[in-house]
Amino acid sequence: MRLNISTMRRKSALLALCFAGTLQTVHAAYPEKPVRWIIPGAAGGAADATARIVANAVSARWGQPIVIDNRPGATGTIANDATAKATPDGYTLGLATMSTYVMSNHVLPRLPYKPAEDFTNIAKLCTSPYLLGVTQSLPVNSVSELVARAKARPTELNYGSSGNGSALHVATELFRSSAGIKITHVPYKSVPASEMDLIGGQIQMMIGNFATMATHVQSGKIRALAITSPKRSPLLPNVPTMAEAGIPAAELTTWIGVMAPAKLPPAIAKKIHEEFTAAVKDPKVIKQLADIGCDVDPTTMENFDRLVQSENARWGAVVRQNNITAD
């Protein structure tokens, strides 16, 4: 039997075009069912609150629900591991934060995934500062007074965080080393637990999430001394920045973004990026996020990928310099 090579080539090309067309149709139809978004924090926390605002907006655009799946614990690695091991079809997404997606890479001795290989960086959503607060019983009203007291009484001041190796731990160690003071770390299992002990006076100071700390400041339960962002917050306009307070090296801003398992088809990744970026540009969403201290700050997929890489380099150095480890 003689084979017509030309005919075979035409048939192969036709099949390839049909297959490509089928893939484009599948990607264009995405999503056809609910999407799961894995959050590395408990319900009611800062990351959870942000995710729910954005998820509602994207769900309205898609006509499909985004189901929030809270997976707190282990400095974010439980949630990250679940995301890394999910099928890369766009129906499982992960929430990336500076703490759980970057710092955890450097404070934990072993990870169940490879940070540089097992994820697709999709979209940066917003940024948020931290807030330095003290218990009301501590007689200091400024960062300079806090630093002076710490130097005069190096064994007196205890600070809380959400655990060894957490972002709050790393942020406070950056402040401690920048101010040249000695303060004692008291790790807690959660942010709310540490905030309650700050209110009660069991610890004297804390750098915490702006969204929750600001609420306690506004109710008079905590005294705010500085915000870690480059500019003041309109929610607490009388609270100076770290630079204004004399500790510019302690300036830092955390961020929240979207990631997914590695090998996600580029067409689906592009669509997710476009939809999440469009959602956070909606004036209603901007207002909702601003009300919890988050500034909308989307960028390109390429820039977000570069941000993740640069933040890994920066915080890896801070962790090593201060010998910070997780439990």
Side-chain angles (χ1 to χ4, degrees):
M1 179 178 178
R2 301 179 64 183
L3 297 177
N4 188 318
I5 301 300
S6 178
T7 300
M8 290 180 63
R9 285 175 177 171
R10 285 198 297 271
K11 289 182 177 179
S12 297
L14 181 61
L15 286 172
L17 286 172
C18 289
F19 181 67
T22 300
L23 286 179
Q24 289 176 355
T25 301
V26 170
H27 293 166
Y30 170 87
E32 297 181 294
K33 61 182 181 179
V35 174
R36 179 174 60 140
W37 198 4
I38 301 177
I39 311 302
D48 177 77
T50 302
R52 290 179 187 274
I53 291 172
V54 177
N56 287 338
V58 178
S59 293
R61 295 179 60 86
W62 274 345
Q64 291 286 352
I66 295 180
V67 180
I68 299 297
D69 182 359
N70 296 97
R71 301 283 188 97
T75 321
T77 56
I78 294 174
N80 292 346
D81 190 42
T83 302
K85 290 179 170 56
T87 302
D89 57 4
Y91 289 98
T92 297
L93 305 176
L95 184 78
T97 75
M98 187 178 73
S99 171
T100 58
Y101 196 47
V102 173
M103 291 182 182
S104 61
N105 298 337
H106 307 285
V107 300
L108 294 166
R110 291 178 300 277
L111 293 170
Y113 48 83
K114 297 178 180 180
E117 299 177 18
D118 291 345
F119 303 100
T120 301
N121 298 322
I122 294 178
K124 182 185 178 188
L125 303 177
C126 59
T127 62
S128 179
Y130 292 122
L131 199 63
L132 169 60
V134 297
T135 186
Q136 287 287 9
S137 61
L138 189 70
V140 300
N141 294 290
S142 66
V143 170
S144 60
E145 290 181 7
L146 177 67
V147 170
R149 191 175 184 91
K151 289 182 176 180
R153 307 181 186 189
T155 61
E156 179 189 67
L157 299 183
N158 299 319
Y159 75 88
S161 80
S162 52
N164 284 324
S166 66
L168 304 187
H169 180 197
V170 176
T172 312
E173 281 300 300
L174 178 62
F175 170 79
R176 180 201 60 75
S177 61
S178 300
I181 58 177
K182 291 184 179 180
I183 50 180
T184 302
H185 180 215
V186 180
Y188 289 80
K189 292 184 178 180
S190 68
V191 172
S194 57
E195 290 176 346
M196 288 303 102
D197 271 9
L198 179 64
I199 292 171
Q202 284 76 28
I203 54 176
Q204 289 70 49
M205 59 175 287
M206 179 177 171
I207 291 181
N209 297 324
F210 183 90
T212 52
M213 289 279 282
T215 300
H216 299 313
V217 172
Q218 291 164 340
S219 65
K221 296 177 181 178
I222 292 173
R223 185 181 308 119
L225 300 186
I227 189 171
T228 65
S229 55
K231 61 182 181 180
R232 297 192 184 199
S233 168
L235 299 178
L236 295 173
N238 295 324
V239 178
T241 66
M242 279 290 185
E244 291 173 332
I247 315 289
E251 179 184 294
L252 66 105
T253 304
T254 187
W255 44 263
I256 288 178
V258 185
M259 47 82 161
K263 299 181 181 179
L264 181 68
I268 291 181
K270 182 175 183 291
K271 186 167 186 178
I272 296 170
H273 169 83
E274 291 173 347
E275 294 293 342
F276 273 82
T277 298
V280 297
K281 289 181 178 180
D282 183 283
K284 180 181 177 181
V285 176
I286 292 173
K287 175 65 167 56
Q288 289 175 323
L289 291 175
D291 287 344
I292 60 172
C294 294
D295 294 324
V296 169
D297 189 29
T299 187
T300 65
M301 287 183 67
E302 294 75 18
N303 284 342
F304 181 47
D305 193 61
R306 283 191 285 268
L307 173 68
V308 171
Q309 294 179 41
S310 65
E311 289 284 75
N312 265 295
R314 178 192 181 190
W315 293 109
V318 172
V319 167
R320 289 189 298 272
Q321 290 166 3
N322 291 278
N323 299 313
I324 300 170
T325 59
D327 291 321

